[in-house]
Amino acid sequence: MTSDKPVTTQTFVYLLAVYIIWGSTYLGMKVATETVPAFFLSSVRFFLAGLLLLAIGGLKEKTLPNREQLRNAIFVGTLLIGIGNTTVAVAVHYMPSGLVALLVAAMPAWFMVLDWAFFSRNKPGTLTLLGIAVGFIGLFLLFNPFGNQHVESFPLWPVLIVIFGNICWAIGSLLVQRFSMPTQITSTAIQMLAGAVFALVVSLIAEHDQVQQFLGMSHRGWFAYLYLVLIGSLVGYTSYSWLARNAPPRLTSTYAYINPVVALLLGWAIGHESITPMVAIASAIVVGGVVLMTLGKK
């Protein structure tokens, strides 16, 4: 790695945390949505995580956002958390968590295409375009609408939901770089709270008996919920935040193709999700495409 940022043992500890924690949240959401509707789960998850992070930000950063920064953080949080993350929770309720993680792994493609089309106008390089093409070929093999391998196992409509969420996540992330935002921890806390409010509004409109289902969760469901809040949101964010400031960017970006592998393995080992030869081949093609996109990214 050629970078002015040193690679230390601490770097690999935080990197391993991001690999495992973010890769495991897909299974955590699947377990929690067994009894709790997806939008309500996202609301109570990020409301608690946002409050905890807001307290941490207040103690560490000791600054208040102005009106413009607050408005920007709320808008971005709605895109990232309210839509982007919640659509993943919707999808894992109907689909294997590992396959949803592979759909999310295609996120770099949406970043680059949308950045090229609407923001920087920087055309992706040849290696990046090759990676995008390879990744989408893998996804087509995985979710082939003309085949019948998934007809009885899960519906394909959640794929469109995740793609829409990915696009919203990419737009929100690109806007963060161009908006005036609050300080880092406070900004993330506001985004979580804004996403939680949006998810709650949708839940009140489209879901039923949310509170009773939430309070009636099994011990397994409560463990998954607390894991998502304390480990997935807080520890995972803290680890990634440290890497973003202290690790070589190309090393940090490897989470994009390690997370789906972790999610697939955990879904198979713990969630009893099957990995057929076609799924394994298509998954390898998708991850290979993401690797090419990452290597070709300027």
Side-chain angles (χ1 to χ4, degrees), residues 60-80:
K60 293 189 66 175
E61 297 172 338
K62 298 179 180 178
T63 58
L64 293 175
N66 58 41
R67 183 175 298 180
E68 179 187 3
Q69 292 172 332
L70 180 62
R71 183 175 62 248
N72 291 341
I74 291 173
F75 180 66
V76 169
T78 301
L79 290 173
L80 294 180

Side-chain angles (χ1 to χ4, degrees), residues 224-238:
Y225 168 69
L226 293 175
Y227 180 85
L228 289 171
V229 172
L230 301 177
I231 307 300
S233 297
L234 297 182
V235 178
Y237 160 75
T238 302

Side-chain angles (χ1 to χ4, degrees), residues 123-163:
K123 185 178 179 180
T126 303
L127 193 60
T128 298
L129 292 173
L130 178 62
I132 292 173
V134 169
F136 281 116
I137 288 172
L139 289 176
F140 178 81
L141 293 175
L142 198 61
F143 302 104
N144 180 9
F146 303 107
N148 58 3
Q149 64 269 33
H150 299 316
V151 170
E152 297 181 359
S153 56
F154 60 84
L156 288 178
W157 63 263
V159 173
L160 300 177
I161 299 294
V162 176
I163 290 174

